[in-house]
Each structure stands twice: as structure tokens, then as C-alpha cells.
Amino acid sequence: VILIRERKYPKAVSILTQALTINPGEAKAWYNRAQAYYLIGEKKKAISDFKKAFDLDPSLKFKAKISKFFLAHKELMKLLK
């Protein structure tokens, strides 16, 4: 999350990919990697990761609905239906 705040998106993707290799059931890691992918223009990968995060933890959908990230990127709202 810190790397995303610092706009180091490729580094965030790399570290989160490593983390998901170790623990693929970590919904927040999928969610955070999705954000990083989205911000570097990898929208298909981002959508795939968001879907995986929401499948693993449906409560993330509610949190996403009120998140600054989803509010700023309205095209993602369709994932929350």
C-alpha cells in the first residue's frame, strides 16, 4: 500500500505478486495489486484481480463502493454489482 501511495506501481505489482505466490488466499493483496495494475494501465489484469479479491472476501465490495479509488475511477463501479 505504501508503494502505491508513493506511486511506485510496478514495484508494488512485483512485491504483491510475490506475496500472492506465498499466500494466494489474501484478498487484500489481490485488491491492492489490482489498484496498482489499474494505475499502470493494465486494466484487464486489474479487473481480474479485483474479481478475485471480491470472490475471496465479499465484504471488500462494500468497502470498494465507498473507497476514494473506486469513486475516482467510476468505470470500475460495474464490478460492484
Side-chain angles (χ1 to χ4, degrees), residues 25 27-28 31 50-65 79-81:
K28 289 182 183 177
Y31 185 90
F50 278 126
K51 287 179 179 178
K52 181 71 173 177
F54 298 151
D55 286 345
L56 289 168
D57 183 355
S59 73
L60 285 175
K61 272 190 175 186
F62 173 76
K63 293 174 187 172
K65 284 182 183 178
L79 293 173
L80 304 177
K81 295 180 181 179

Side-chain angles (χ1 to χ4, degrees), residues 12-76:
V13 167
S14 176
I15 289 173
L16 289 162
T17 299
Q18 290 174 22
L20 288 165
T21 300
I22 296 166
N23 186 4
E26 181 54 53
K28 289 182 183 177
W30 288 101
Y31 185 90
N32 290 331
R33 189 174 77 168
Q35 286 183 329
Y37 270 141
Y38 189 86
L39 293 166
I40 59 172
E42 296 279 351
K43 292 184 180 184
K44 287 183 181 180
K45 290 179 181 179
I47 289 168
S48 177
D49 279 9
F50 278 126
K51 287 179 179 178
K52 181 71 173 177
F54 298 151
D55 286 345
L56 289 168
D57 183 355
S59 73
L60 285 175
K61 272 190 175 186
F62 173 76
K63 293 174 187 172
K65 284 182 183 178
I66 59 173
S67 75
K68 289 180 185 178
F69 185 81
F70 268 72
L71 292 172
H73 302 97
K74 301 241 184 237
E75 69 232 21
L76 293 172

Side-chain angles (χ1 to χ4, degrees), residues 3-20:
L3 292 171
I4 293 171
R5 284 190 206 133
E6 293 176 352
R7 299 180 181 187
K8 296 178 181 176
Y9 310 126
K11 180 79 170 168
V13 167
S14 176
I15 289 173
L16 289 162
T17 299
Q18 290 174 22
L20 288 165

